[in-house]
């Protein structure tokens, strides 16, 4: 039962993670679709609205958090299975 609960939590986490990637990606695609040269250089912060700026920084922050989580999970797996044996 505990294993099933853990598997369900991992699946929920992955779905939420992918959902956030999709939302951030759609916001950045909206910027690309409606980019106006008169607002500034392409992908400069001055040419973005507030929501697009938040999505831009969230994109890179989310990449860093995902990499940190992968490193943490790898460390835990190595500690659990390799070091104990």
């Amino acid at each position: 039962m505990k294993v099933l609960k853990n598997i369900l939590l991992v699946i929920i986490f992955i779905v939420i993670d992918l959902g956030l990637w999709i939302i951030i990606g759609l916001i950045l695609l909206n910027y690309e679709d409606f980019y106006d040269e008169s607002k500034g250089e392409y992908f400069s912060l001055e040419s973005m609205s507030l929501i697009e700026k938040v999505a831009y920084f969230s994109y890179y922050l989310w990449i860093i958090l995902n990499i940190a989580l992968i490193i943490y999970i790898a460390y835990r797996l190595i500690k659990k299975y390799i070091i104990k044996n």
Side-chain angles (χ1 to χ4, degrees):
M1 189 67 172
K2 187 175 181 180
V3 173
L4 184 62
K5 180 181 175 185
N6 287 340
I7 292 172
L8 185 62
L9 287 174
V10 168
I11 291 171
I12 290 171
F13 177 78
I14 291 171
V15 168
I16 290 171
D17 187 54
L18 291 175
L20 285 172
W21 277 111
I22 290 169
I23 291 170
I24 291 170
L26 288 174
I27 292 171
L28 292 175
L29 281 174
N30 184 51
Y31 169 78
E32 289 184 19
D33 289 342
F34 297 104
Y35 168 69
D36 184 10
E37 291 181 6
S38 65
K39 292 183 179 179
E41 193 175 321
Y42 183 68
F43 252 91
S44 67
L45 293 178
E46 63 188 23
S47 67
M48 295 182 184
S49 67
L50 179 63
I51 292 176
E52 291 162 346
K53 289 178 188 176
V54 170
Y56 178 75
F57 289 113
S58 298
Y59 174 75
Y60 291 107
L61 178 65
W62 204 244
I63 289 173
I64 292 169
L65 288 174
N66 276 296
I67 291 171
L69 182 66
I70 290 169
I71 291 170
Y72 175 73
I73 291 171
Y75 168 75
R76 294 287 304 253
L77 290 173
I78 290 170
K79 185 177 174 185
K80 184 175 183 180
Y81 291 111
I82 295 177
I83 295 176
K84 285 189 177 182
N85 291 333

